[in-house]
Amino acid sequence: MFTIDDLADRLGGYLPPEEILQVKRAFYYAEQAHDGQRRRSGEPYVTHPLAVANILANMHMDHQSLMAAMLHDVIEDTGITKEALAHQFGDPVAELVDGVSKLTQITFEDKAVAQAENFQKMVLAMSKDIRVIIVKLADRLHNMRTLGALRPDKKRRIARETLEIYARIASRLGINTIRVELEDLSFQAIHPMRAERIKRAVTKARGNRRSMMRQIQDSLQKCLDDDALVGSVVGRQKHLLSIYRKMRDQRKPFVEIMDVFGFRIITDDVDTCYRILGAVHNLYKPVPGRFKDYIAIPKANGYQSLHTTLFGPNGMPIEVQIRTREMEAMANNGIAAHWLYKAGQTERPIGAGSHARAREWVRGLLEMQRHAGNSLEFIEHVKNDLFPDDIYVFTPKGDIMELPGGATAVDFAYTVHTDIGNSCIACRIDRHLAPLSSTLESGQTLEIITAPGARPNLAWLNFVVTAKARSAIRHAIKHQQRTESVQLGRRLLNRALGAFETSLEELPEPRMAAVLDELELKHEDDLLESIGLGTRMAYAIARRLLASTEPASAEEVATSPHSGGPIVINGAEGMVISFARCCYPLPGDPVIGHLSVGKGIVVHRHDCGNLQELRDDPDKLFALEWSQQIDQDFPVALRLHVETRRGLVAELAGLVTDADANIERIGIEERDARLSIVNLTLAVHDRVHLASIMKRLRNLPHVGKITRVRS
């Protein structure tokens, strides 16, 4: 059984004696705190924190991380407080322990919400000290190693969470040794039979492949020796989940997956890496398009290496990774390598760059957390952000930006900065104008064009792929909708108050406060927003604000919608004024507004048949009039009776374009061999523009009757 003395002996290799004593003191404190507690397996509970500390010792983590590992369940499972830990071991250790601890004092409605809230709490702690997640990963790894004592359903639930969140975070932070083991243990818990069959097949195949592996390894080593290149060649083992995913995704049998031989060549410096690459390419022919230089362009988690695939003996593929010893340490331990230098093992922090990138990633998580509606939405964003296939694009200044595969120009804009994403209107890809929805490819240079006052488009959510872009767009649209709803609500309430010859500005503040209190609202803007969205009637609120409890007279009801005159619209009000698709109102048409719950005002033509049932409810209808300054296009539907002939659609499209209009939709219904009906949806400026287009269409010899579609 592994003991604290065994751990102390291991720590002696890289920690000074006084720090080892502090780790031992933390162990004895935890042992006393957990006295009498046992794990499901029957072992004393303190064996778990000791094992977690041992995992961190393998990564040469600092003494405070090891102390936090010893104490990480003390706050959660015993009566000891964070303040008591801070008094005994200092604030940094207490903060680390608190960051890993679950929210035990709050009762949640279900497990999903509890997990999401706990993860959110951990992210906030990570923003202060990134070591929180390293301790948590070690804790989760030991829990996965000891899943055997749990029920099968609980095993699967924990394994899925591990696979979706913690294994991906380990990968994102470059801690490959933990990632691989978490993935394999999760796979074995979720699919035990599949894992066992693959494990047996791997063991069998490894025996059959041993001589071939040794032959290729010897030839690679001889190639290095002949060219006087310093480097050691080691065989690379595939892990279970990787094999399973390739079999499933590439639809390949096990034999084809195992036919690929993998090797890693470790050398001393970057220059030798490239010289070794040339040597192995001389030994075996490289497979075209399979070379990747992660030294020049590292992955987001700091991973660096040269990857190449070769045609080996008898044409069998050989995958080779070439890296320095420092890169090997980074590949295995990721940001944990940042603490190696403190033990004096290197002159500079190995993982310093990775540590900075990790902190940048955590800052991104915090931004997502602020924009998310709740903890469940936040954790979905995190899942989506972990772990895409990456592409690399360049800014106009030559800086490299990493994005997930399938990312668009909008994703790039939000990656640069949220404000740039919110105000982008166009982009140039390799100096050519391109749509914002364009899917990016590695190597492209991207320039984002912004404009003051520009706002995110709801349609962007249909094509963005990064969690940061998605959460920022949703946040901006929610804010935009609230702002516009408040503005509309203010206009509607002032019109209603106009019937009583007063306005919102003239009301005494205590009266507004009393009404907000009655309605259980915190701010005046909350009330105005609900009016703008149609969930409260402006006239009813006006009477309540004036402390009038008498029912409105017929004359008041009849005149209230017209108080203060019609609402002026210019088509650019945003999300709280929309235009009905049943009657397609245009500037110049007599219009009326219908207050729809959750949408605000929907503009209809005055004679729209769909408003018939609402005409007796004046509180839901509003007099509207068009602004004199309108600078946008509006859709309108036309129905054309035409003679069927070749080239008709092209002729119509050309005429509409010449008339400075756009065709949004076109459909043709054949009545018989001679006659057809063309349904056109155009974007036009106003009624005058539409009349001009209809006149041009009537002049076509094959066009008969033209009508504007009415509901």
Side-chain angles (χ1 to χ4, degrees):
M1 181 178 170
F2 190 78
T3 66
I4 183 61
D5 292 328
D6 296 329
L7 177 64
D9 290 341
R10 296 194 59 193
L11 297 180
Y14 75 97
L15 286 183
E18 62 272 16
E19 291 183 353
I20 297 174
L21 282 175
Q22 291 186 56
V23 174
K24 292 177 77 170
R25 190 164 71 89
F27 168 78
Y28 294 126
Y29 189 93
E31 186 178 42
Q32 189 173 356
H34 291 295
D35 186 38
Q37 295 180 354
R38 293 192 172 271
R39 305 200 80 207
R40 290 284 179 89
S41 59
E43 298 173 306
Y45 194 88
V46 76
T47 58
H48 168 62
L50 182 60
V52 173
N54 187 45
I55 292 169
L56 295 178
N58 291 337
M59 295 189 285
H60 286 202
M61 287 301 293
D62 64 308
H63 72 290
Q64 289 181 339
S65 301
L66 294 163
M67 292 164 70
M70 295 295 187
L71 302 163
H72 75 271
D73 280 331
V74 165
I75 294 177
E76 191 178 323
D77 294 337
T78 72
I80 295 169
T81 64
K82 176 184 172 183
E83 290 71 24
L85 286 183
H87 179 72
Q88 283 286 333
F89 302 103
D91 288 332
V93 173
E95 291 293 343
L96 284 173
V97 174
D98 184 58
V100 179
S101 300
K102 294 177 184 175
L103 297 165
T104 53
Q105 68 275 26
I106 303 173
T107 304
F108 298 103
E109 55 193 50
D110 59 35
K111 275 193 171 63
V113 174
Q115 288 170 346
E117 290 287 348
N118 284 321
F119 183 77
Q120 196 163 242
K121 172 180 178 285
M122 186 177 70
V123 167
L124 293 173
M126 282 163 57
S127 68
K128 299 173 186 173
D129 193 334
I130 199 70
R131 291 176 295 178
V132 166
I133 190 59
I134 301 177
V135 176
K136 182 63 182 178
L137 287 172
D139 171 43
R140 179 55 62 111
L141 177 58
H142 186 253
N143 283 333
M144 290 300 298
R145 286 175 178 173
T146 55
L147 274 184
L150 302 179
R151 299 190 316 269
D153 61 317
K154 195 169 184 181
K155 278 187 194 176
R156 286 191 294 271
R157 178 179 62 76
I158 294 172
R160 283 197 182 91
E161 183 189 43
T162 301
L163 205 55
E164 290 176 358
I165 299 291
Y166 294 102
R168 293 179 175 186
I169 289 177
S171 182
R172 189 68 179 77
L173 301 179
I175 311 175
N176 196 51
T177 49
I178 287 184
R179 174 188 67 83
V180 168
E181 191 172 354
L182 285 177
E183 287 184 346
D184 279 353
L185 291 170
S186 299
F187 177 50
Q188 291 173 57
I190 297 169
H191 301 296
M193 293 180 66
R194 297 177 198 180
E196 186 58 35
R197 289 184 65 182
I198 292 175
K199 193 187 294 184
R200 285 202 303 266
V202 167
T203 304
K204 183 179 178 182
R206 196 173 289 150
N208 299 334
R209 288 154 43 100
R210 194 165 291 142
S211 61
M212 180 59 71
M213 286 282 288
R214 191 176 299 113
Q215 178 187 332
I216 297 171
Q217 185 171 341
D218 290 345
S219 65
L220 287 170
Q221 190 65 59
K222 183 176 184 302
C223 169
L224 301 186
D225 295 340
D226 290 346
D227 287 359
L229 296 171
V230 177
S232 56
V233 182
V234 293
R236 198 163 47 84
Q237 300 295 334
K238 286 184 171 63
H239 62 286
L240 300 182
L241 186 60
S242 171
I243 295 170
Y244 173 70
R245 281 175 173 164
K246 285 186 177 179
M247 290 173 64
R248 183 193 63 194
D249 298 341
Q250 300 176 15
R251 298 185 177 277
K252 288 183 177 180
F254 176 81
V255 176
E256 286 188 31
I257 300 295
M258 292 303 289
D259 268 353
V260 180
F261 292 81
F263 295 90
R264 185 172 294 141
I265 301 176
I266 312 297
T267 187
D268 292 334
D269 54 61
V270 172
D271 180 60
T272 309
C273 288
Y274 288 100
R275 292 170 63 197
I276 289 173
L277 177 70
V280 298
H281 279 185
N282 280 331
L283 178 65
Y284 296 121
K285 294 293 182 188
V287 177
R290 295 296 300 274
F291 168 65
K292 291 181 180 176
D293 188 345
Y294 292 120
I295 293 179
I297 305 178
K299 290 187 176 183
N301 58 15
Y303 175 87
Q304 289 183 287
S305 185
L306 298 177
H307 288 198
T308 188
T309 303
L310 312 168
F311 291 110
N314 303 318
M316 65 180 59
I318 302 172
E319 293 176 350
V320 178
Q321 299 173 353
I322 307 167
R323 62 183 68 146
T324 65
R325 301 185 198 286
E326 185 177 296
M327 293 171 191
E328 175 73 355
M330 273 298 306
N332 291 328
N333 295 319
I335 64 163
H338 175 71
W339 283 273
L340 282 174
Y341 77 101
K342 294 185 178 179
Q345 294 192 10
T346 180
E347 294 179 3
R348 65 185 183 86
I350 289 176
S354 178
H355 187 260
R357 279 186 287 267
R359 295 197 67 82
E360 186 63 33
W361 175 65
V362 173
R363 277 196 289 272
L365 290 184
L366 283 176
E367 188 171 345
M368 276 191 268
Q369 187 264 336
R370 285 195 298 271
H371 292 167
N374 54 49
S375 57
L376 289 174
E377 183 182 329
F378 168 62
I379 206 166
E380 279 308 309
H381 286 325
V382 174
K383 286 180 184 177
N384 292 335
D385 202 42
L386 302 164
F387 237 103
D389 295 322
D390 296 329
I391 61 169
Y392 298 90
V393 294
F394 296 88
T395 69
K397 293 182 178 179
D399 296 329
I400 299 170
M401 303 291 290
E402 186 179 35
L403 292 165
T408 64
V410 175
D411 291 298
F412 173 87
Y414 278 103
T415 300
V416 175
H417 198 280
T418 302
D419 290 342
I420 292 176
N422 286 339
S423 58
C424 68
I425 56 169
C427 71
R428 287 191 182 94
I429 298 177
D430 294 334
R431 299 185 180 179
H432 298 291
L433 281 172
L436 286 172
S437 58
S438 301
T439 301
L440 304 177
E441 297 177 4
S442 281
Q444 291 178 327
T445 299
L446 203 65
E447 178 187 354
I448 297 297
I449 301 167
T450 61
R455 294 178 294 192
N457 191 324
L458 190 62
W460 292 355
L461 291 173
N462 295 328
F463 55 76
V464 295
V465 299
T466 57
K468 181 178 180 181
R470 190 172 296 278
S471 62
I473 291 167
R474 284 178 174 159
H475 175 73
I477 287 173
K478 284 178 188 174
H479 177 73
Q480 177 185 335
Q481 184 181 42
R482 175 174 170 83
T483 302
E484 292 169 355
S485 300
V486 169
Q487 290 172 353
L488 178 61
R490 188 179 298 278
R491 292 169 72 184
L492 294 177
L493 186 53
N494 270 324
R495 290 176 70 256
L497 288 168
F500 304 97
E501 299 182 353
T502 186
S503 68
L504 201 53
E505 290 72 24
E506 295 171 2
L507 283 174
E509 285 188 16
R511 188 61 213 147
M512 173 60 79
V515 171
L516 291 176
D517 203 40
E518 288 172 25
L519 299 174
E520 297 181 354
L521 297 172
K522 292 183 179 178
H523 305 289
E524 181 180 317
D525 282 357
D526 296 333
L527 176 61
L528 297 176
E529 180 186 16
S530 66
I531 295 171
L533 290 174
T535 53
R536 298 182 194 274
M537 292 296 103
Y539 191 65
I541 296 298
R543 295 187 63 83
R544 182 172 278 193
L545 284 168
L546 297 169
S548 175
T549 56
E550 299 174 8
S553 67
E555 183 181 354
E556 285 176 327
V557 172
T559 59
S560 66
H562 306 285
S563 303
I567 294 177
V568 178
I569 55 173
N570 59 20
E573 286 82 3
M575 304 175 69
V576 292
I577 293 186
S578 55
F579 298 88
R581 289 281 175 165
C582 53
C583 56
Y584 293 104
L586 291 177
D589 288 331
V591 286
I592 192 167
H594 159 230
L595 194 60
S596 175
V597 176
K599 291 184 179 179
I601 292 180
V602 182
V603 181
H604 292 260
R605 288 163 65 181
H606 204 284
D607 57 356
C608 180
N610 286 339
L611 294 180
Q612 197 60 43
E613 295 179 3
L614 297 170
R615 293 193 186 276
D616 296 329
D617 187 355
D619 276 340
K620 287 194 175 180
L621 293 179
F622 296 87
L624 305 174
E625 67 178 31
W626 295 99
S627 168
Q628 296 300 311
Q629 296 179 337
I630 296 177
D631 186 23
Q632 75 169 77
D633 290 342
F634 296 81
V636 63
L638 298 179
R639 183 174 290 119
L640 286 66
H641 295 253
V642 300
E643 291 181 22
T644 305
R645 61 191 292 270
R646 184 176 296 177
L648 175 68
V649 172
E651 191 174 4
L652 292 174
L655 185 146
V656 169
T657 303
D658 290 343
D660 192 27
N662 289 319
I663 295 179
E664 290 191 349
R665 192 178 299 111
I666 187 167
I668 299 178
E669 304 171 16
E670 288 190 7
R671 284 296 175 90
D672 52 42
R674 288 182 59 253
L675 295 175
S676 298
I677 292 179
V678 178
N679 295 303
L680 274 178
T681 303
L682 307 178
V684 300
H685 308 323
D686 51 28
R687 281 185 72 176
V688 176
H689 189 199
L690 174 63
S692 169
I693 295 169
M694 291 176 71
K695 185 176 179 180
R696 289 189 182 205
L697 290 171
R698 285 195 181 96
N699 288 334
L700 292 175
H702 302 285
V703 175
K705 184 180 177 183
I706 301 178
T707 56
R708 182 176 170 187
V709 175
R710 300 171 185 268
S711 58

